[in-house]
Each structure stands twice: as structure tokens, then as C-alpha cells.
Amino acid sequence: MDRNPSPPSSEAEEEEGDAVGNTVYSKHWLFSILTRLIEVISSEKAEPTGSPEGIQTELEEEMENDICKLWDMSMDEDVALFLQEFNAPDIFMGVFVKSKCPRLTEICVGILGNMACFQDICMSISKDENLGQVLLQRLCDSDSPTLLETSRLLLTCLSQPEVANVWVERIRENPSVYDCVCFIMSSSTNVELLVKVGEVVDKLFDLDEELMLNWIKNGTSRSVGPSVDDSPEELPDFKIVPCILEAARQVRSDNPEGLDVYMHILQLLTTVDEGIQAIVQAPDGGKETWSLLYDLVCHELCQPDDPPIIVQEQKTLLASILSVLSAMFASQTEQEYTKMRKSNVKLPFSCYFILDMPLIGSLIRILQYMEGCGKRSVDNAKESEEQETGRADLNEEDFHLKILKDICCELLSNMLQELTKENTLEGLHQGHLNEQTCSCAFQNLLPLYFASVESFLEVLREADQTLADSLEKRFPSLKV
């Protein structure tokens, strides 16, 4: 059965004044559906008090067909306004509270979600505190379709600037939302649901840093207790990060847009120190996060057999991933140097992910591909010089590519600065470092990252004097 069948033919043409607004839908028909909804709720309420709890009911086929038609029709603003006028949101709230039928709940949330697409209705729904609380409780539902429609409704409301703060505050005051969202991300295999929940979390974190900080710290409140016998407290168990990672792994293959969403959530976490610590001080020391992102960059995105234009398609995803890797690198580097200062001994650089040559090779390849895209952009700019819209789109593309380049260069410069002779010899042997790749790296890093390039060149002289001399000739500013 189709989830949203086409609306029925209306008898409004036969009955003057029965049409809803400028539509051909019948007021009488719509009103009859709302009446039947009330009857369904009343009949469920009248069940014996001794009946077993948790037993789900099913909709009659005719009722399901009709209410699905209403769901489809509610995308029309005139129909949505009619439903609002006749207190449909209050009827739906009764369904959410009393109904034991998951399908009925799903459809009613879906209708409400369609209605919320219109600003005035969205404001009315959002200001109803009771309805708002009941809707948030739907996030704890066990029915995936209902969860999906609830997430769509929340995302619609959060996307309306006039009411977004109302929902942010409401969610902040409801700790159960955090638990429900984490449970969905960590346990659901429904990719469509995971993507939508991810979009809600991404929007929430983007709108309100305080809420993001609360959610980062939320996972620590249950696992850190008072110390006993002066023993050190247990390390915090940051719950939000493993949940995000699990969801990202689920959507990775089936939904590139969903993966982009979850990588952006991780990137938002790194905009605050607490978020970075949530990643690198996890029980595994950040290994799972680094492994996932490393695998994406080195084995899936912007690969050697891809055309250079692929960097255009993947620019936002790559920017988010590299931004997180860069933040993790900087954090772990700082921790290593802190250990060295405290012990007054030069310790080996022990981070398991710092000096990985395939990653350095991937970063250089991204820069090479961007150079190819840059040449195409210049050619396209000449062709569309008289087309204002074309130039605007091109400028936006250039802006996103510049962000990616800046992030890529920052991470690459930091990694090159930490290379040893042994690492460099490994990179030369594996083919990640040669005259072409080093030239590309220097071309993009200079002059901003002069110190990093100079440091790497010193190490390169020990590993391959001929290559170092050749690069000095290409870049005279590096000569001692």
C-alpha cells in the first residue's frame, strides 16, 4: 500500500461553498475525518482498565486510506489552515496520548509536520507547551516510522527562525531527548531515520552552543562519581561521540548526504574544547574516530582513480573530516609535548595516528585535484563572464574549495613538521613523497607555512639529498 495515496476527488463542485479555500477539497469530507478520529480515540479510551498494556492495535483499511489522503492533502496551505481552524492539533495530541495504534500515530505526526511547513501554523504549534512536550515524548517511541515523522516535524520547526529558540529551550529542559536521540543513533539500522535524526542534532548544535555543551557533558554525569579513599576518579565516558560514530557507520554506504551530516556534527563538536576532549579522551583515546575518518579519506574519498572534479562533489564532506582530524592532531600533539615538558625527557612521539604516510599522500592528492578544479574554474569564468548567476555560483564553489584548501594545508603542515627521517624514507619508498607531490605541497603551503616546510626539508636532506636540492631550486625562498 502506498504510504500517501493521491487525494480523493471532491464533491465541492456539486455543493456550493463546500470547497476548502481555493482547492477542490470538501470541507464536509475533511470534517468527517476529524470526527472519525475523535471517535477512534474515544473508543480506545473506553477499553477496560484491566486490559494488558503494550498491546498495539491496527487501523481499519478504510480509515487508514482516508487518513492517508488527509496526510497528502495537508501539504496544501488552505487545507492546513482549515485543519488548524478546527483544532486538528488538539485532536492529534489526543491520538499521541491515548492511541495504541503506531500507524495512526505516525500519520498524525506526519500531518502535523506538513502543517508546520507554514509559518503561522508552525508558530501556533510551537507555542502550545502541552503539544510540544507530547511531541518530544514521541522521540522515545519504539516505532521507526513514527520516529521518522517526529524528527521531520522537529527539523521543520527548528528551521523556522521565529520559533527555533522555543524548541531549543524546550529540548534543553528535557533530558530524555538526549537519551532518546543517543539510543536511536547507537541502535537503529533505519538509514532514513538516522539521517533525519542526524539533521536534527546538527541543527540543534548549530543553533545553540550551550545545548551542545550540555549534551557533551551529559554522558559524563552518570559515569563520574566521588572519589573513594582518595583514589582518582574514573575517566569520563563521553556518550555522544560513540553514538555519532555508530550512526555514521550505518549511513556510510547507503547515504552520502547522511554521512556528510554526521561528519559536520563531529566538526561542530571540535569548535569547543569540551568537544575535542570528548573525542580524544574517550576510553579508546579517539582511536575509533580517527580510524573511521582515516578510512574515509584514504580509501573512499578522492581516490587516485577518481577524476579531479570529484573534489567538487566531496568538498563539504572532506572539509568536515579534515577539520576533525586536524583538531585531534593538534590536541594529541599538545598532550605529547606536555608529557615531554613534565618529564624533562624527550619522549618518542607515540600517537598512533600522527605520522601516517598514506594520509599525507591523500592530503597532497586533494590539493592536486583542487589545482585541477581551479584551472577549470578560470576557464568557466571566462566563458560565463557575462552571466551574473553563473558567476555567483562559481564564486560560491570557489569559497567552499578555499575552506577545504585551508583546512587541508593546516593539517598537512602540522604533519610534515613532525616527520622523522624514518617516516620520510617510508614515504619515499611507498611513493607518497616524490618530486611531484612535494612540489604540490610546497606550492600550497608557502609562504604561510614556511616554518613547517623548512623543517620538513631539513629531514628530507637526510633521507634524499638529491630530491631536497631539486626542491630548493624550484623554491628559492627555501635556500639557506
Side-chain angles (χ1 to χ4, degrees):
M1 180 188 297
D2 293 335
R3 186 165 292 281
N4 289 333
S6 299
S9 302
S10 173
E11 300 176 357
E13 296 178 358
E14 300 176 9
E15 299 182 24
E16 186 177 354
D18 188 44
V20 176
N22 294 320
T23 72
V24 295
Y25 304 133
S26 165
K27 289 181 181 177
H28 177 76
W29 186 86
L30 288 169
F31 191 75
S32 70
I33 296 299
L34 295 178
T35 303
R36 287 165 63 191
L37 263 180
I38 296 173
E39 291 173 354
V40 169
I41 299 169
S42 300
S43 64
E44 292 204 3
K45 181 182 178 183
E47 288 183 359
T49 55
S51 59
E53 294 184 4
I55 295 180
Q56 298 182 348
T57 60
E58 295 184 4
L59 275 176
E60 294 181 0
E61 183 176 353
E62 182 182 357
M63 180 64 181
E64 181 172 355
N65 288 336
D66 285 345
I67 197 171
C68 278
K69 292 172 185 176
L70 178 60
W71 188 0
D72 200 43
M73 294 160 63
S74 62
M75 290 187 290
D76 187 287
E77 185 172 9
D78 285 333
V79 173
L81 289 170
F82 174 86
L83 294 173
Q84 174 75 6
E85 180 183 353
F86 282 90
N87 298 320
D90 289 342
I91 299 174
F92 297 151
M93 183 163 65
V95 171
F96 305 150
V97 172
K98 302 170 185 175
S99 178
K100 296 182 179 66
C101 177
R103 178 64 170 151
L104 179 61
T105 303
E106 173 206 353
I107 296 171
C108 289
V109 178
I111 294 172
L112 205 56
N114 285 348
M115 294 171 64
C117 293
F118 306 105
Q119 184 178 334
D120 290 343
I121 300 177
C122 186
M123 291 182 67
S124 176
I125 292 171
S126 301
K127 290 178 180 178
D128 188 329
E129 186 63 28
N130 290 332
L131 180 58
Q133 295 295 337
V134 170
L135 285 171
L136 291 183
Q137 291 173 9
R138 291 298 95 212
L139 285 173
C140 300
D141 205 297
S142 59
D143 181 60
S144 290
T146 299
L147 288 171
L148 176 61
E149 294 308 319
T150 303
S151 301
R152 281 178 174 157
L153 172 57
L154 289 176
L155 185 62
T156 298
C157 295
L158 289 168
S159 301
Q160 298 266 9
E162 297 80 10
V163 300
N165 288 337
V166 174
W167 285 98
V168 169
E169 183 65 28
R170 188 173 285 149
I171 291 170
R172 192 189 298 139
E173 294 175 353
N174 279 268
S176 63
V177 174
Y178 169 84
D179 294 319
C180 294
V181 167
C182 281
F183 180 76
I184 294 169
M185 290 192 298
S186 62
S187 62
S188 178
T189 57
N190 185 319
V191 171
E192 190 177 6
L193 171 59
L194 288 171
V195 172
K196 197 57 62 178
V197 168
E199 289 174 346
V200 171
V201 174
D202 188 44
K203 190 69 175 177
L204 283 170
F205 287 2
D206 196 36
L207 286 170
D208 192 80
E209 185 177 294
E210 181 184 346
L211 182 141
M212 181 172 71
L213 287 169
N214 289 342
W215 281 26
I216 291 170
K217 298 171 183 175
N218 207 348
T220 69
S221 61
R222 301 183 182 90
S223 50
V224 179
S227 58
V228 180
D229 299 328
D230 296 327
S231 60
E233 293 183 355
E234 185 180 346
L235 280 176
D237 179 18
F238 293 97
K239 189 176 178 183
I240 189 71
V241 173
C243 293
I244 294 170
L245 293 178
E246 183 58 36
R249 282 190 284 262
Q250 285 290 335
V251 305
R252 175 178 176 176
S253 302
D254 298 328
N255 196 302
E257 292 79 13
L259 182 62
D260 203 340
V261 169
Y262 279 98
M263 293 302 101
H264 189 254
I265 295 173
L266 283 176
Q267 182 183 4
L268 287 174
L269 290 181
T270 64
T271 60
V272 295
D273 186 59
E274 293 88 345
I276 298 174
Q277 298 309 309
I279 295 172
V280 300
Q281 290 186 4
D284 64 353
K287 187 177 293 187
E288 283 193 25
T289 303
W290 185 274
S291 297
L292 174 62
L293 304 190
Y294 171 89
D295 196 40
L296 288 169
V297 173
C298 295
H299 301 135
E300 284 194 21
L301 302 174
C302 207
Q303 294 300 292
D305 55 348
D306 289 329
I309 196 67
I310 194 71
V311 79
Q312 287 274 19
E313 299 175 14
Q314 299 173 349
K315 56 186 178 295
T316 58
L317 178 56
L318 282 168
S320 294
I321 293 173
L322 296 185
S323 181
V324 178
L325 292 175
S326 185
M328 293 180 70
F329 184 97
S331 176
Q332 292 286 16
T333 303
E334 182 181 353
Q335 290 181 30
E336 288 296 321
Y337 284 134
T338 300
K339 292 178 185 177
M340 288 166 56
R341 287 196 301 269
K342 287 182 177 180
S343 62
N344 203 25
V345 177
K346 188 170 184 180
L347 301 174
F349 208 72
S350 60
C351 284
Y352 59 88
F353 54 72
I354 293 298
L355 303 174
D356 193 279
M357 296 312 303
L359 179 56
I360 290 177
S362 295
L363 295 176
I364 295 174
R365 181 167 60 250
I366 291 169
L367 292 174
Q368 290 175 317
Y369 281 12
M370 278 193 283
E371 288 179 353
C373 289
K375 293 175 183 177
R376 284 189 176 86
S377 296
V378 171
D379 295 338
N380 291 339
K382 292 177 181 178
E383 294 176 5
S384 61
E385 189 173 352
E386 297 180 358
Q387 300 177 9
E388 193 67 29
T389 303
R391 281 206 306 274
D393 292 342
L394 183 63
N395 290 336
E396 184 178 353
E397 290 290 328
D398 289 344
F399 174 74
H400 288 296
L401 283 175
K402 183 181 183 304
I403 292 175
L404 174 58
K405 179 182 177 181
D406 290 345
I407 296 171
C408 188
C409 285
E410 180 182 7
L411 178 55
L412 179 61
S413 69
N414 287 335
M415 296 188 77
L416 289 180
Q417 198 164 15
E418 301 298 338
L419 287 179
T420 64
K421 178 183 176 181
E422 290 72 22
N423 302 137
T424 304
L425 286 170
E426 180 188 355
L428 292 168
H429 177 70
Q430 293 176 351
H432 299 299
L433 296 179
N434 52 47
E435 186 165 353
Q436 182 184 13
T437 58
C438 289
S439 295
C440 175
F442 288 11
Q443 183 70 41
N444 285 277
L445 295 178
L446 293 172
L448 184 60
Y449 298 102
F450 182 87
S452 296
V453 174
E454 189 177 42
S455 172
F456 167 66
L457 192 59
E458 283 186 27
V459 176
L460 185 61
R461 285 193 190 99
E462 299 179 24
D464 190 330
Q465 181 68 49
T466 304
L467 177 56
D469 291 342
S470 178
L471 290 169
E472 278 189 337
K473 290 179 182 178
R474 284 198 177 198
F475 302 91
S477 63
L478 293 172
K479 290 184 179 180
V480 178

